[in-house]
Structures are given as structure tokens and as C-alpha cells.
Amino acid sequence: MVSLGASRYPSRFDPARLDEVDPGIRANIERRLDVLGPGYLLIYNDPVAFVRGEKAHLFDADGADYLDAYNNVPSVGHCHPHVVEAVNRQVATLNTNTRYAQEGLVDYAERLVSYFPEELRRVTFACSGSEANDLALRVAAHHTGNEGVIVNRWAYHGITRAVAAISPALGDGSPLGPHVREIDPPDPKLVPAGLSLADHMRAETRRAIDDLARHGFGVSALVLDLSFMSDGIFPEAGDYLQGMVDEVHAVGGLFLADEVQAGFGRLGTCMWGFAMQQVVPDIVTMGKPMGNGIPLSAVVFRPEVARDFGEKVRYFNTFGGSSVPIAAGAAVLDVFESEGVPARVERIGELLRTGIRELLADSPHVAEVRGAGLVVGVEIVEDREKRTPDRARTTRVIDGMRDRRILISGAGREVNVLKIRPPLAFDEHDVERFLDGLREVAALHL
Ligand SMILES: Cc1ncc(COP(=O)(O)O)c(C=O)c1O
């Protein structure tokens, strides 16, 4: 039986179909099943294997060119030459840890915090988004003396025991902690008649706070991924965040912005999701695109939030902040600055969203096309009026795109939202190719 956690992936390989797999990769998949086991999910009914990447393109062993409209880690582009060169140079020179004074470490830390509002001035490095969130939760609990955490209904924040316990998207096999309360994502269709979205989000937060108080937990942190990626993609700017944060602050809790998805320019000219609503968090976590594929993550704090933990608790992360990932992180920022990435994301994202909207405007199965910067969610339904999620059709669209060598996936509780989230290296030609593919697939399924 497939667990709800695994079923987050709308199109995934079924080992019973091994005989149908391309003979070129069948032996590899057989060995993989044997040694890695079923936990290592392969995306797509018809799996793919790549040997090379460049910009927003991946190439298989036959040289076939796949358009990557899914991967957010290779943010400035697969194997960006400037990042490759910086990593090569550093790995051949010195790779050691934060217990030695290093120019590169301090330069990068100062440069990174300069991308944040001035209240956020302290940074700690780690290797993954999960580690960053794990540390952020420890610091929040230490600072507030509370354990309670508020998250979105279908949020995902990572894999350690502490962050899995605040990740409803992991499903039935990974229960939430007793100290966790879920609230709606900012989905206008969940707002009761007569309320604004901001009123609804504030009321949701207050309901969670009251319930945590009733059960003796108090509030440690409100944790939000501001792209709401696994909740179904709701990244558009709104005016609901400040009210939620005010409620949490009023009871001594902190606001933790998980920018693992939304951060580093994904949403366009705003470098961070929280900046879309001009709210300053207490703690920010980030990862995935930060090192363009080299493991690098970070937690940025208001100094007053981190001080006591920093003085009393020993935190040493062997690889976090070592020389090579720091060189990768600095090279990524170089590219952001030299290529004007945020402005480009804004422009290409607009082109992509407009194209998708025009193409799908008359489809009876598309309820909404939403997005910001270079993330687009397309909500697929049985019919527009009832808005009943259509997961099977979503999967057919994803498979249809894969057959045309265009990579996308799905999101949301019902996995009925197309997740279109390319590397930020996506350009005009990529948009054109994407829309050509989507036009063909829409003619068949939408
Ligand atoms: C919002 C969010 N937070 C945290 C994580 C965990 O990051 P990592 O896989 O690097 O541990 C993810 C991963 O998908 C994520 O989407």
C-alpha cells in the first residue's frame, strides 16, 4: 500500500512495471530497488535518467534535451560555470570548518545578512533545510519557553524528528506532535462569506493559539512557507501576514519564515517571501537554492532571539559553513548580482504566467492559474463551478508533459495543482517551448 506521504507525488514509478521501463535504465532501477529499497521514490510513471545539465535543461544518455520546469535547487542554472569554477577552486585549495577564522565565511555571512531587513543580523550555517528548521525550532523553544507550533494544514518543513512532527504533508505514517496546530493556507476559497482573507487568517491563528493554551503548550512559533508550496501554491502578495504575526507576538511566540522554497528570488523582485508583505520575521530559514546544489542552509535571527541560546548551548555543525559550501553560496550571490536575476525572474515569470493563463482560459478543468515570480500553480478540477479536485487528470497532464520532455510535478492536499517551478535560469525560449508542450497536452486532457 502506498502511504499518504509517498502519494504526494502524483506521477511516480510503480516497481511492478519494471518490465516496461526503457531497457537503457532498467538494470539500474532493478539494482536501486534492491539496495536502496522502496523509500527511494522515482518520479514519473516512466522514469528518467540524466547525464548532464545546463541552464534549465537536462540531457539523457542519448543527448535528448529535457526542459526543467520543476527543480528549484539549481537556481541560477544547472552547473552554472561561475559556481562550478568557484567550487572547483575552493575544493582544490582548502575545505575546513567554522572553528578556524576564515575570511570567506565572514564575508559571506555579512553579505547574506545584507539581503535582510536590518533587524535580522545573526546567521548560523547548516547543510539542509531540515537542519535549519530543526535549529530554528530549538532556538524558538529556548527563547520563548514554549513548545507549541502553528503550521499550515499541508505544510512540509523537513525530515528530522522535530520538523517531521510539524509537517502534516508527511501524512499518516508520520503523525504530528501533540504540540502542533494546523491552520488554513491563504486560499481565498476557504474564507467564510463576509470575512476578508486577512480576517480569516488572523482568526485561524487565534484559534490555534487558544487551543495550544488550553492544552498547556503556549506558542513557540508560527512557521510558514510563504509560497505555500506543498499546500497548493499560494505565493501572491497579500495583506494577511501582519495580523497573524501580531496574534503570535501578543502571546510571546515568534514568527519563523521558512524560506527554503520562497527565498532567493523565487517570487521575483522580492528576495524573500516575507518581504512581499513587508513583515519582518524573528527567524528565517533557507536552504535548497542557496548553494545551487552544494549543501548549504542557514538560519538568520534577530540577535536578541538567538543570544541566550548561543551563549548556553553548544552548536557545532561539522559541514555547515565549511569552506566549499560557503564558496558556492558566494558564487550564487555573484550570479544574482551580475545577471540581475530577480528582475529577470519577474519578467520571465510574467511571460510564463500570462502564456499559461491565455492557453488555459477556456478549459473547463482549470479552476485557477496562480503564482509569483517563477512559481506557477494550476488548479485542476472536475468542473469549474464545483471545484472538485481532479487528481487523475493532474497526473495525466504531468505525464503528458514528461512525454514531451518537459518536467513538472504536482502539489496540494489533493495533489491536483500543477507545480511549475523551474530553475531561475529559465528564459524566453524555455517559456516558448513550455507553452508549446502545454498546448498539446491541454488539447488532450484539459
Ligand atoms: C518549505 C520547506 N522547508 C524545508 C524543507 C527541507 O529541506 P531539505 O530537504 O533541504 O532538508 C523543504 C524541502 O522540500 C521545504 O520545501
Side-chain angles (χ1 to χ4, degrees), residues 255-275:
F255 169 41
L256 193 177
D258 175 344
E259 295 280 349
V260 169
Q261 292 283 347
F264 285 95
R266 168 63 51 191
L267 305 185
T269 45
C270 281
M271 189 73 166
W272 314 108
F274 63 79

mmCIF file of all heavy atoms in Angstrom, residues 255-275:
data_model
loop_
_atom_site.group_PDB
_atom_site.id
_atom_site.type_symbol
_atom_site.label_atom_id
_atom_site.label_comp_id
_atom_site.label_asym_id
_atom_site.label_seq_id
_atom_site.Cartn_x
_atom_site.Cartn_y
_atom_site.Cartn_z
ATOM 1 N N PHE A 255 7.700 34.465 15.016
ATOM 2 C CA PHE A 255 7.342 34.152 13.630
ATOM 3 C C PHE A 255 8.585 33.643 12.910
ATOM 4 O O PHE A 255 9.588 34.359 12.791
ATOM 5 C CB PHE A 255 6.771 35.392 12.933
ATOM 6 C CG PHE A 255 6.639 35.216 11.440
ATOM 7 C CD1 PHE A 255 6.181 34.025 10.882
ATOM 8 C CD2 PHE A 255 6.974 36.257 10.574
ATOM 9 C CE1 PHE A 255 6.072 33.859 9.500
ATOM 10 C CE2 PHE A 255 6.872 36.103 9.198
ATOM 11 C CZ PHE A 255 6.420 34.902 8.665
ATOM 12 N N LEU A 256 8.511 32.397 12.455
ATOM 13 C CA LEU A 256 9.609 31.766 11.718
ATOM 14 C C LEU A 256 9.202 31.661 10.240
ATOM 15 O O LEU A 256 8.258 30.941 9.913
ATOM 16 C CB LEU A 256 9.856 30.374 12.301
ATOM 17 C CG LEU A 256 11.109 29.580 11.963
ATOM 18 C CD1 LEU A 256 11.133 28.278 12.739
ATOM 19 C CD2 LEU A 256 11.340 29.325 10.511
ATOM 20 N N ALA A 257 9.885 32.397 9.394
ATOM 21 C CA ALA A 257 9.624 32.303 7.951
ATOM 22 C C ALA A 257 10.532 31.220 7.370
ATOM 23 O O ALA A 257 11.760 31.374 7.392
ATOM 24 C CB ALA A 257 9.883 33.649 7.278
ATOM 25 N N ASP A 258 9.938 30.142 6.880
ATOM 26 C CA ASP A 258 10.701 29.074 6.227
ATOM 27 C C ASP A 258 10.816 29.454 4.756
ATOM 28 O O ASP A 258 9.872 29.286 3.984
ATOM 29 C CB ASP A 258 9.968 27.736 6.408
ATOM 30 C CG ASP A 258 10.649 26.597 5.659
ATOM 31 O OD1 ASP A 258 11.476 26.872 4.769
ATOM 32 O OD2 ASP A 258 10.327 25.426 5.944
ATOM 33 N N GLU A 259 11.986 29.983 4.375
ATOM 34 C CA GLU A 259 12.185 30.485 3.012
ATOM 35 C C GLU A 259 12.907 29.464 2.133
ATOM 36 O O GLU A 259 13.488 29.826 1.105
ATOM 37 C CB GLU A 259 12.981 31.808 3.059
ATOM 38 C CG GLU A 259 12.231 32.948 3.741
ATOM 39 C CD GLU A 259 11.202 33.626 2.833
ATOM 40 O OE1 GLU A 259 11.211 33.360 1.612
ATOM 41 O OE2 GLU A 259 10.388 34.421 3.354
ATOM 42 N N VAL A 260 12.866 28.207 2.536
ATOM 43 C CA VAL A 260 13.536 27.158 1.753
ATOM 44 C C VAL A 260 12.972 27.120 0.326
ATOM 45 O O VAL A 260 13.706 26.911 -0.637
ATOM 46 C CB VAL A 260 13.395 25.789 2.459
ATOM 47 C CG1 VAL A 260 13.830 24.645 1.556
ATOM 48 C CG2 VAL A 260 14.217 25.781 3.748
ATOM 49 N N GLN A 261 11.663 27.356 0.173
ATOM 50 C CA GLN A 261 11.052 27.373 -1.164
ATOM 51 C C GLN A 261 10.963 28.784 -1.734
ATOM 52 O O GLN A 261 11.318 29.018 -2.885
ATOM 53 C CB GLN A 261 9.634 26.776 -1.097
ATOM 54 C CG GLN A 261 9.569 25.300 -0.805
ATOM 55 C CD GLN A 261 9.913 24.432 -2.007
ATOM 56 O OE1 GLN A 261 9.983 24.886 -3.149
ATOM 57 N NE2 GLN A 261 10.140 23.160 -1.752
ATOM 58 N N ALA A 262 10.450 29.703 -0.920
ATOM 59 C CA ALA A 262 10.130 31.036 -1.451
ATOM 60 C C ALA A 262 11.356 31.923 -1.599
ATOM 61 O O ALA A 262 11.349 32.861 -2.412
ATOM 62 C CB ALA A 262 9.119 31.723 -0.531
ATOM 63 N N GLY A 263 12.412 31.625 -0.842
ATOM 64 C CA GLY A 263 13.550 32.539 -0.759
ATOM 65 C C GLY A 263 14.463 32.521 -1.969
ATOM 66 O O GLY A 263 14.285 31.755 -2.912
ATOM 67 N N PHE A 264 15.449 33.406 -1.938
ATOM 68 C CA PHE A 264 16.431 33.548 -3.016
ATOM 69 C C PHE A 264 15.775 33.835 -4.361
ATOM 70 O O PHE A 264 16.101 33.213 -5.366
ATOM 71 C CB PHE A 264 17.357 32.330 -3.079
ATOM 72 C CG PHE A 264 18.379 32.339 -1.976
ATOM 73 C CD1 PHE A 264 18.151 31.650 -0.811
ATOM 74 C CD2 PHE A 264 19.545 33.084 -2.103
ATOM 75 C CE1 PHE A 264 19.073 31.697 0.229
ATOM 76 C CE2 PHE A 264 20.476 33.138 -1.066
ATOM 77 C CZ PHE A 264 20.241 32.445 0.100
ATOM 78 N N GLY A 265 14.834 34.785 -4.329
ATOM 79 C CA GLY A 265 14.333 35.350 -5.577
ATOM 80 C C GLY A 265 13.300 34.524 -6.319
ATOM 81 O O GLY A 265 12.883 34.907 -7.412
ATOM 82 N N ARG A 266 12.857 33.415 -5.750
ATOM 83 C CA ARG A 266 11.868 32.580 -6.448
ATOM 84 C C ARG A 266 10.617 33.374 -6.811
ATOM 85 O O ARG A 266 10.008 33.163 -7.858
ATOM 86 C CB ARG A 266 11.521 31.376 -5.537
ATOM 87 C CG ARG A 266 10.339 30.522 -5.916
ATOM 88 C CD ARG A 266 10.464 29.811 -7.234
ATOM 89 N NE ARG A 266 11.689 29.050 -7.398
ATOM 90 C CZ ARG A 266 12.093 28.526 -8.566
ATOM 91 N NH1 ARG A 266 11.367 28.645 -9.653
ATOM 92 N NH2 ARG A 266 13.252 27.874 -8.637
ATOM 93 N N LEU A 267 10.229 34.308 -5.913
ATOM 94 C CA LEU A 267 8.962 35.011 -6.122
ATOM 95 C C LEU A 267 9.129 36.320 -6.902
ATOM 96 O O LEU A 267 8.209 37.124 -6.963
ATOM 97 C CB LEU A 267 8.264 35.263 -4.775
ATOM 98 C CG LEU A 267 8.038 34.007 -3.907
ATOM 99 C CD1 LEU A 267 7.242 34.356 -2.661
ATOM 100 C CD2 LEU A 267 7.328 32.907 -4.684
ATOM 101 N N GLY A 268 10.326 36.536 -7.476
ATOM 102 C CA GLY A 268 10.517 37.735 -8.297
ATOM 103 C C GLY A 268 11.383 38.754 -7.590
ATOM 104 O O GLY A 268 12.334 38.387 -6.905
ATOM 105 N N THR A 269 11.041 40.024 -7.731
ATOM 106 C CA THR A 269 11.963 41.055 -7.230
ATOM 107 C C THR A 269 12.126 41.013 -5.712
ATOM 108 O O THR A 269 13.127 41.501 -5.193
ATOM 109 C CB THR A 269 11.531 42.475 -7.669
ATOM 110 O OG1 THR A 269 10.141 42.582 -7.452
ATOM 111 C CG2 THR A 269 11.858 42.725 -9.110
ATOM 112 N N CYS A 270 11.150 40.452 -4.979
ATOM 113 C CA CYS A 270 11.348 40.278 -3.535
ATOM 114 C C CYS A 270 12.248 39.071 -3.326
ATOM 115 O O CYS A 270 11.920 37.969 -3.748
ATOM 116 C CB CYS A 270 10.017 40.016 -2.824
ATOM 117 S SG CYS A 270 9.075 41.504 -2.556
ATOM 118 N N MET A 271 13.366 39.288 -2.655
ATOM 119 C CA MET A 271 14.294 38.182 -2.422
ATOM 120 C C MET A 271 13.661 37.128 -1.500
ATOM 121 O O MET A 271 13.991 35.958 -1.572
ATOM 122 C CB MET A 271 15.571 38.763 -1.799
ATOM 123 C CG MET A 271 16.709 37.801 -1.699
ATOM 124 S SD MET A 271 17.457 37.458 -3.308
ATOM 125 C CE MET A 271 18.981 36.676 -2.803
ATOM 126 N N TRP A 272 12.749 37.556 -0.614
ATOM 127 C CA TRP A 272 12.162 36.657 0.386
ATOM 128 C C TRP A 272 10.641 36.748 0.353
ATOM 129 O O TRP A 272 10.086 37.820 0.098
ATOM 130 C CB TRP A 272 12.667 37.031 1.788
ATOM 131 C CG TRP A 272 14.140 37.247 1.820
ATOM 132 C CD1 TRP A 272 14.779 38.439 1.951
ATOM 133 C CD2 TRP A 272 15.164 36.250 1.649
ATOM 134 N NE1 TRP A 272 16.141 38.253 1.885
ATOM 135 C CE2 TRP A 272 16.407 36.914 1.701
ATOM 136 C CE3 TRP A 272 15.152 34.859 1.460
ATOM 137 C CZ2 TRP A 272 17.623 36.248 1.566
ATOM 138 C CZ3 TRP A 272 16.361 34.197 1.326
ATOM 139 C CH2 TRP A 272 17.575 34.878 1.384
ATOM 140 N N GLY A 273 9.989 35.655 0.697
ATOM 141 C CA GLY A 273 8.527 35.637 0.710
ATOM 142 C C GLY A 273 7.944 36.637 1.697
ATOM 143 O O GLY A 273 6.960 37.313 1.397
ATOM 144 N N PHE A 274 8.568 36.759 2.878
ATOM 145 C CA PHE A 274 8.009 37.670 3.878
ATOM 146 C C PHE A 274 8.044 39.122 3.395
ATOM 147 O O PHE A 274 7.230 39.945 3.791
ATOM 148 C CB PHE A 274 8.726 37.532 5.238
ATOM 149 C CG PHE A 274 10.186 37.903 5.224
ATOM 150 C CD1 PHE A 274 10.588 39.231 5.261
ATOM 151 C CD2 PHE A 274 11.163 36.911 5.184
ATOM 152 C CE1 PHE A 274 11.934 39.575 5.246
ATOM 153 C CE2 PHE A 274 12.510 37.250 5.170
ATOM 154 C CZ PHE A 274 12.899 38.586 5.197
ATOM 155 N N ALA A 275 9.010 39.429 2.504
ATOM 156 C CA ALA A 275 9.149 40.807 2.020
ATOM 157 C C ALA A 275 7.962 41.211 1.142
ATOM 158 O O ALA A 275 7.680 42.403 0.987
ATOM 159 C CB ALA A 275 10.452 40.956 1.258
#
